[in-house]
Amino acid sequence: QQVAKKDFNTRVIIKSHDEFSEVASSFNEMAVQLGRQFKTLTTIAELDGAILSSLDVKKIVKTLLGRIPVVFPCQGTAITIISEKTGSSGWTYTAKNNPGHDFPAERTNIEPADRQRLEANPETFSLGGREPLPQYVRTLSRQGIPWFQVFPVFLKQELAGIICLGYENPPRLSPEDLNQARQLSDQVGVALSN
């Protein structure tokens, strides 16, 4: 009944250590997955609303920065929008922990080696630790976030944006999480296309 009311945080607790306990555990895991899927669909619907009500890139970015941490718990988020004119620079908007309403923007250059890595890994990749960090994550890095899961955004096979989730420890996203984040990134591509 609680799941039907969109309360995905209620858990079934059974301490019998038999098949009922196993059923409860499976049910609880299902509720977590349903909750994440619901949050992803809600975020995509909000993004669709932002696209339909406005073609303003900043409004779309604000919607994303406000909703991504709800769907994918992380310590920071960065979205880089690549300039259509240059293709090698753009603006990176960031939000750390509890995002407010104003998201700082910083001019960003995309170095050839960074572009090559983004194009070689069009789905997603992780970076961080001791490796040199690209400019599009430096704002979050300066705020103490050392690890990133990166989702390139392409339009007609051209790099149009980058979504980065920042973590204090190496990211360990499940295949389902990665798939949902990729769906969101693809939706950003649609937004930028519009």
Side-chain angles (χ1 to χ4, degrees), residues 36-192:
R36 282 194 175 163
Q37 289 173 345
F38 183 77
K39 287 177 186 175
T40 301
L41 291 173
T42 301
T43 300
I44 289 173
E46 286 182 15
L47 185 56
D48 284 341
I51 295 165
L52 293 173
S53 66
S54 169
L55 297 179
D56 182 6
V57 170
K58 288 186 180 179
K59 183 173 181 181
I60 294 166
V61 167
K62 183 177 177 179
T63 302
L64 280 167
L65 288 175
R67 293 295 300 169
I68 284 176
V70 174
V71 180
F72 306 101
C74 58
Q75 285 72 54
T77 311
I79 298 173
T80 302
I81 305 297
I82 308 296
S83 168
E84 206 175 346
K85 293 176 185 173
T86 67
S88 60
S89 66
W91 289 93
T92 298
Y93 302 83
T94 59
K96 184 181 175 198
N97 289 334
N98 190 9
H101 295 292
D102 294 321
F103 302 106
E106 188 174 288
R107 191 85 174 137
T108 304
N109 290 318
I110 307 298
E111 301 297 330
D114 297 331
R115 175 180 284 281
Q116 186 177 17
R117 186 171 186 183
L118 290 159
E119 290 173 349
N121 299 282
E123 293 296 317
T124 187
F125 63 93
S126 298
L127 60 88
R130 296 175 188 252
E131 71 179 294
L133 295 174
Q135 250 188 25
Y136 58 85
V137 296
R138 286 202 183 134
T139 301
L140 289 176
S141 176
R142 284 194 300 266
Q143 296 174 5
I145 298 176
W147 296 94
F148 304 91
Q149 189 70 39
V150 180
F151 298 89
V153 178
F154 291 92
L155 282 177
K156 298 177 183 172
Q157 299 173 348
E158 289 294 322
L159 183 66
I162 308 162
I163 297 175
C164 299
L165 308 181
Y167 296 91
E168 291 174 356
N169 297 302
R172 288 184 170 77
L173 286 93
S174 70
E176 185 177 335
D177 288 336
L178 292 172
N179 184 47
Q180 289 177 344
R182 186 69 251 164
Q183 284 179 324
L184 199 57
S185 301
D186 292 342
Q187 192 72 5
V188 172
V190 171
L192 296 177

